[in-house]
Amino acid sequence: GQNIDQPTEMTATEGAIVQINCTYQTSGFNGLFWYQQHAGEAPTFLSYNVLDGLEEKGRFSSFLSRSKGYSYLLLKELQMKDSASYLCASMDSNYQLIWGAGTKLIIKP
Amino acid sequence: DAGITQSPRHKVTETGTPVTLRCHQTENHRYMYWYRQDPGHGLRLIHYSYGVKDTDKGEVSDGYSVSRSKTEDFLLTLESATSSQTSVYFCAISEGQGDYNEQFFGPGTRLTVL
């Protein structure tokens, strides 16, 4: 079956760095997406990886290892506004997104 | 921000009644999707559309139907609502599928079935 695993909740301190891991098993693979979702709001796109390696975009970076079925989202210089859920999604062979349940990130001052 | 609206934003209804949710886009994107989001679950695809009158089922399509008569509108209908369909429903759009075609989400509709 298809499965996406990510931690349910993580806590980090303002100004610090946090890494949110995601492992995936899907029928085929056409890329890995990360989205941010603040409570009560819609998900918003953060990053897309289809090749192995690290993609950096400001304070956020995303890494992919296709051979290991593994990705992570790295958030640097954490700010209070980064408190949100982070959703990992793998695109399968039919170009459908299979979503993880999300990681709730709590930032403490 | 992508121009996507959903209506209504909140709805309370009773078991057995029909309900229609509307998604409207101003981006002229080809693909439109309906998802539901429940605690402890990832977003789950209900139905999607790849063009006017072209739709297909997703992972959790039972009890739902869709229609797309215009590029900009995608309707989701619950023929006879049940309490298990209480959820937050998100519409999404994308220009294409595959490489770098991210999905943009509407604000969501919170549906409660009593």
Side-chain angles (χ1 to χ4, degrees):
Chain A
Q2 309 205 93
N3 194 49
I4 309 290
D5 281 321
Q6 52 181 131
T8 303
E9 188 175 295
M10 298 181 71
T11 302
T13 305
E14 191 177 15
I17 299 172
V18 71
Q19 178 176 311
I20 302 174
N21 296 324
C22 170
T23 58
Y24 64 90
Q25 269 186 303
T26 50
S27 303
F29 180 75
N30 281 298
L32 196 291
F33 290 80
W34 284 96
Y35 279 74
Q36 181 190 59
Q37 186 177 25
H38 286 100
E41 298 184 6
T44 55
F45 171 76
L46 287 177
S47 68
Y48 171 71
N49 295 67
V50 67
L51 300 176
D52 286 353
L54 188 68
E55 296 266 351
E56 297 188 72
K57 203 186 282 188
R59 294 190 299 115
F60 291 10
S61 303
S62 55
F63 171 83
L64 176 68
S65 168
R66 294 182 61 153
S67 62
K68 294 182 179 178
Y70 168 70
S71 173
Y72 68 73
L73 181 69
L74 192 71
L75 291 74
K76 302 176 186 175
E77 301 169 15
L78 286 170
Q79 302 174 10
M80 297 304 292
K81 68 178 182 179
D82 297 330
S83 292
S85 289
Y86 291 85
L87 314 181
C88 172
S90 173
M91 182 169 279
D92 70 11
S93 57
N94 294 318
Y95 297 101
Q96 300 309 316
L97 288 177
I98 308 301
W99 297 82
T103 298
K104 183 178 180 181
L105 179 63
I106 299 167
I107 310 294
K108 296 186 174 179
Chain B
D1 288 344
I4 315 170
T5 57
Q6 292 184 230
S7 59
R9 294 293 313 280
H10 301 270
K11 186 168 182 68
V12 180
T13 191
E14 294 189 351
T15 298
T17 59
V19 175
T20 295
L21 309 182
R22 180 182 183 236
C23 176
H24 179 78
Q25 60 146 329
T26 57
E27 304 298 318
N28 202 35
H29 281 3
R30 179 181 175 191
Y31 291 85
M32 299 186 75
Y33 311 82
W34 276 108
Y35 290 95
R36 60 179 289 173
Q37 188 175 41
D38 304 289
H41 291 271
L43 287 157
R44 289 181 290 177
L45 183 65
I46 304 170
H47 283 278
Y48 70 100
S49 170
Y50 47 96
V52 173
K53 291 188 172 32
D54 292 323
T55 65
D56 206 349
K57 295 179 180 180
E59 176 191 359
V60 290
S61 59
D62 286 350
Y64 302 94
S65 62
V66 290
S67 65
R68 191 170 178 196
S69 58
K70 297 186 288 185
T71 298
E72 57 266 35
D73 289 326
F74 192 32
L75 304 181
L76 177 71
T77 297
L78 289 66
E79 304 290 347
S80 176
T82 67
S83 57
S84 65
Q85 293 176 313
T86 292
S87 187
V88 179
Y89 291 85
F90 285 102
C91 173
I93 64 174
S94 67
E95 197 164 13
Q97 287 192 313
D99 289 355
Y100 301 97
N101 277 295
E102 68 265 32
Q103 295 182 14
F104 301 96
F105 284 80
T109 295
R110 185 172 293 276
L111 176 68
T112 302
V113 183
L114 301 176

